[in-house]
Amino acid sequence: MAALAGTVLFAALLPATGRAARVAEQACDLAVALLFFLYGARLSSRETLAGLRHLRLHGLVLICTFVLFPLLGLATAVLTPAPLTGQLQTGVLFLCLVPSTVQSSVALTGAARGNVPAAICAGTYSSLAGLVLTPLLAAWLLGAHAALSPDGLARIGLQLLAPFLAGQLLRPRVGGLLARHKRLLTPVDRGSILLVVYTAFSAAVAQGIWSRTTPTALLGLLGVLLALLAAALGFARLGARVLGLDRQSGIAAVLCGSQKSLANGLPMATVLFGPEAGLLVLPLMAYHQLQLVAGTFLAGRWSRAPDTSGGRPLDTRHRGETGRPEGAISSPDVQRAPG
């Protein structure tokens, strides 16, 4: 959180312009490609296939991520008492099209004594689906802001899909090495994200971002994001009960279904929106902080609740001693990127 805030402040005080901006954009393109290569190299095909047995959970997470959120995003343009400025509203809708997270969902699910293997697979499936669905939904719902031209499709293929597939192909050779040195690679992951943030906000500052928004609009944005988070948490929890998920799987569904990936969303925004990405990613960055705070609170609450459900759907009314669910494991293949 501190690094993101510091990067935005640095971009506001010392934005990259002219030749420096072109160098930053080229470095950003390379960083995005590296990020998705590492995603592919770390993704365990064995665990992904083994997680297919949790079909109801994965279906619920995908519905929350790619059906509920887009509908909520469209509703914010009509239902908000004080409409957001054009780019902030577009940014809210783009936030609603981004896939779920892997790392933070898994960490919070483990802290809450939920079904960790299922959370790993749910976040992975959402990320894979997002490589295709997010650009398509953005082109459909955002119109001219993210029109998918042949050049745009080629750029998505070269910057996102091709590195990811290369990572998957090379996983047998490099997967073990990456797992052994994952702590050393964490700065690479986070540094890539911070470079994307700096490049995007530098372009936004050069375009006069602060003159195009107001404190009132920012407060309105905060209210909209809190409403989105509350609606997603409530829908995922209700869906887990309706589908009859046990307590551990219900926890995973709630945490995975309500979160959005900063690590996937920021690179996609730079590819889809180019120089206009600066203000458009502000809602995603703010939502990312809110989801971590809310997820940490819920994980702490659920970790104190004994599993007395006997396999019944998620119930958080009981409190008591701590413990760890049977089958909850830690995986070396979990992505190490923030978000």
Side-chain angles (χ1 to χ4, degrees):
M1 292 185 184
L4 285 172
T7 302
V8 171
L9 179 61
F10 184 64
L13 297 176
L14 192 63
T17 58
R19 180 175 181 139
R22 290 192 294 273
V23 172
E25 289 172 3
Q26 293 172 354
C28 181
D29 290 343
L30 293 175
V32 168
L34 174 62
L35 200 61
F36 277 80
F37 172 80
L38 293 175
Y39 288 168
R42 291 170 179 155
L43 178 60
S44 170
S45 302
R46 176 179 57 82
E47 285 191 354
T48 302
L49 293 175
L52 285 174
R53 64 181 181 274
H54 302 289
L55 291 179
R56 288 177 297 167
L57 186 154
H58 302 321
L60 176 59
V61 172
L62 290 175
I63 288 173
C64 288
T65 304
F66 296 113
V67 178
L68 173 69
F69 264 106
L71 291 176
L72 292 174
L74 291 171
T76 60
V78 180
L79 300 179
T80 48
L84 302 175
T85 59
Q87 282 198 309
L88 284 180
Q89 181 60 55
T90 303
V92 168
L93 187 50
F94 173 71
L95 149 73
C96 293
L97 308 181
V98 171
S100 182
T101 68
V102 176
Q103 185 191 12
S104 61
S105 293
V106 171
L108 291 171
T109 299
R113 300 190 293 130
N115 190 330
V116 174
I120 293 172
C121 295
T124 298
Y125 297 150
S126 179
S127 296
L128 292 176
L131 287 175
V132 177
L133 291 179
T134 298
L136 292 178
L137 288 171
W140 179 31
L141 297 177
L142 298 180
H145 292 283
L148 277 186
S149 63
D151 289 343
L153 286 173
R155 193 176 178 202
I156 290 172
L158 288 174
Q159 279 197 259
L160 306 183
L161 290 176
F164 178 85
L165 293 176
Q168 276 282 279
L169 291 174
L170 293 175
R171 174 177 165 74
R173 294 179 177 271
V174 303
L177 180 65
L178 294 178
R180 289 192 300 271
H181 299 283
K182 55 187 177 183
R183 288 187 178 181
L184 297 177
L185 289 172
T186 298
V188 176
D189 291 335
R190 296 182 178 177
S192 299
I193 295 300
L194 295 178
L195 179 59
V196 171
V197 172
Y198 175 74
T199 303
F201 268 86
S202 290
V205 170
Q207 296 168 11
I209 179 176
W210 306 121
S211 63
R212 292 154 57 187
T213 188
T214 63
T216 301
L218 294 177
L219 287 175
L221 173 64
L222 178 62
V224 167
L225 297 181
L226 288 172
L228 284 175
L229 181 58
L233 288 168
F235 181 89
R237 187 177 179 201
L238 177 62
R241 289 182 172 180
V242 169
L243 293 174
L245 298 181
D246 60 62
R247 184 178 185 278
Q248 286 77 22
S249 296
I251 288 172
V254 171
L255 293 173
C256 294
S258 61
Q259 301 218 353
K260 291 294 183 177
S261 174
L262 189 70
N264 285 353
L266 285 179
M268 289 183 181
T270 61
V271 173
L272 291 171
F273 305 118
E276 296 184 3
L279 191 58
L280 294 176
V281 299
L282 183 60
L284 175 60
M285 293 175 59
Y287 185 87
H288 180 263
Q289 315 310 318
L290 294 176
Q291 74 186 17
L292 290 179
V293 173
T296 301
F297 170 79
L298 291 174
R301 181 183 177 187
W302 286 331
S303 70
R304 296 188 295 270
D307 184 9
T308 59
S309 60
R312 294 194 303 273
L314 176 64
D315 189 345
T316 62
R317 292 174 294 178
H318 304 286
R319 296 171 181 266
E321 61 186 4
T322 60
R324 187 171 181 83
E326 182 180 357
I329 61 173
S330 297
S331 170
D333 296 302
V334 177
Q335 296 177 21
R336 301 298 299 175

